[in-house]
Amino acid sequence: MVSVILFILFPIIGLPIYLFYYVFDKNKKGILYSAVIGLTLGILAYYFVPRTDYDLYRHQMIVSQLTGISFQQFLILSKEIELEFLPSLYSYIIALFHNLNLLQFFIVSLGYFILLFMLYDYRKISKIKVLPFLFIVLFTLFGFNTLYFISGLYYYIAIIIFAYAFYIEYVKKGNKMVSYLLYLSTLFIHNSMAFALIILFIYKLCMNKFNLKSAFICIFIFSLSFYVINFINSIFDIQFLDTVLKMYNSYVTRDDSFKILYSGIILFIEITKLKIFI
């Protein structure tokens, strides 16, 4: 109750207190505290003013473009917008409120809620002790660059949703249909997730048990396939293959977030298997 009152009165100032309750409270209210911390970080994102070279600025301009039009007009215009379907629809919904800052507020709040909820849920499953759990929470919050998240909204929320789907399937051993739907949804959020899904597909075809060796094999096959594609494209100059290669160079070879996603998944499974911190 104290944390809720603080959130209403002093949402940002109370952040250390919310974190304290999230880690140390024994009343099993982790979902509530995850939501409160997520909303607090969303408020911080709300007041962020992007530079003109940031992705967020471009996304806000799309919202401005969609303001004041009907849904039928949106469906026609959406074909010209350089966004996947779900971000386009989300941009149209935000445009209805005539407030550009809501664009980053909702996504940042949701993203951090999912991250913190995953940690809370994993703590219940594995019964991690308080201090190791505190370390993991701090590492997650401060090791994840909030500025990148705010600026590259759709890219990072897609990665977080993919990680959550992976968590449901391989760590929690939950409903596979839910995880598959979440995997699929990331494609409609950001097309770069096609590469993550390709690796997942290769793994499901070739491996029965996830381990470090199988992960390296998947990544090796995945990387090798693009050398083959590059060779074929250099001979036949196929437009589709050229587009795929550009996406690969943009989102995989030059972007640390994908490396963090892959290595984080591997490390998480290995820690779970070895029962470190439990």
Side-chain angles (χ1 to χ4, degrees):
M1 181 60 67
V2 175
S3 62
V4 175
I5 295 173
L6 279 171
F7 175 71
I8 296 172
L9 298 177
F10 311 103
I12 296 173
I13 298 175
L15 184 58
I17 298 176
Y18 314 148
L19 285 171
F20 175 85
Y21 276 95
Y22 173 77
V23 174
F24 294 99
D25 183 60
K26 296 181 179 180
N27 293 324
K28 311 298 182 182
K29 296 180 180 178
I31 297 177
L32 171 64
Y33 298 129
S34 298
V36 169
I37 296 170
L39 286 171
T40 303
L41 294 171
I43 291 172
L44 286 173
Y46 179 89
Y47 291 103
F48 178 75
V49 179
R51 296 186 335 207
T52 55
D53 59 333
Y54 280 13
D55 284 345
L56 178 59
Y57 179 82
R58 179 170 59 86
H59 297 327
Q60 288 184 342
M61 292 304 99
I62 290 174
V63 173
S64 298
Q65 186 182 359
L66 297 175
T67 301
I69 67 173
S70 67
F71 186 70
Q72 289 76 13
Q73 290 174 312
F74 158 71
L75 291 177
I76 297 171
L77 191 60
S78 63
K79 300 175 183 178
E80 303 174 8
I81 297 175
E82 295 182 358
L83 285 175
E84 282 66 34
F85 175 73
L86 289 180
S88 296
L89 180 60
Y90 173 70
S91 298
Y92 174 73
I93 294 171
I94 293 298
L96 297 176
F97 294 93
H98 300 278
N99 188 335
L100 295 178
N101 290 2
L102 291 176
L103 184 75
Q104 63 263 30
F105 168 73
F106 287 119
I107 292 184
V108 170
S109 297
L110 176 64
Y112 276 106
F113 169 73
I114 293 173
L115 283 174
L116 291 167
F117 173 74
M118 270 197 294
L119 293 178
Y120 167 73
D121 193 59
Y122 181 67
R123 183 187 188 182
K124 290 197 304 181
I125 294 172
S126 59
K127 298 181 181 179
I128 299 176
K129 295 180 181 178
V130 171
L131 289 180
F133 182 66
L134 175 62
F135 170 80
I136 293 172
V137 170
L138 293 177
F139 179 82
T140 300
L141 291 178
F142 295 105
F144 194 83
N145 195 316
T146 305
L147 178 59
Y148 288 165
F149 188 8
I150 296 172
S151 179
L153 289 177
Y154 304 125
Y155 180 43
Y156 285 91
I157 193 65
I159 289 176
I160 290 172
I161 292 173
F162 185 93
Y164 181 55
F166 189 94
Y167 170 79
I168 291 174
E169 183 176 5
Y170 289 101
V171 179
K172 194 173 181 179
K173 308 295 184 183
N175 191 318
K176 287 191 175 183
M177 183 57 66
V178 172
S179 63
Y180 292 161
L181 289 173
L182 289 174
Y183 287 137
L184 184 62
S185 71
T186 62
L187 266 183
F188 294 95
I189 297 174
H190 204 283
N191 55 23
S192 64
M193 297 311 295
F195 300 115
L197 290 172
I198 289 171
I199 287 185
L200 184 67
F201 181 71
I202 293 172
Y203 158 67
K204 287 180 176 293
L205 283 179
C206 303
M207 309 298 168
N208 294 319
K209 186 177 180 181
F210 195 94
N211 53 50
L212 200 58
K213 181 180 178 181
S214 65
F216 282 131
I217 292 173
C218 289
I219 293 174
F220 174 76
I221 294 173
F222 175 71
S223 302
L224 182 63
S225 66
F226 282 91
Y227 284 102
V228 175
I229 291 174
N230 190 43
F231 175 74
I232 295 173
N233 192 51
S234 65
I235 298 174
F236 298 103
D237 192 23
I238 302 172
Q239 182 62 39
F240 172 73
L241 294 181
D242 186 58
T243 302
V244 171
L245 288 169
K246 286 180 180 178
M247 288 171 58
Y248 174 75
N249 289 326
S250 176
Y251 294 119
V252 179
T253 60
R254 297 180 186 176
D255 199 300
D256 289 338
S257 56
F258 255 84
K259 298 170 186 174
I260 291 171
L261 172 64
Y262 299 147
S263 59
I265 286 172
I266 295 167
L267 180 61
F268 195 66
I269 295 299
E270 290 300 305
I271 287 176
T272 305
K273 188 171 63 178
L274 296 174
K275 299 186 180 301
I276 297 175
F277 293 146
I278 299 176

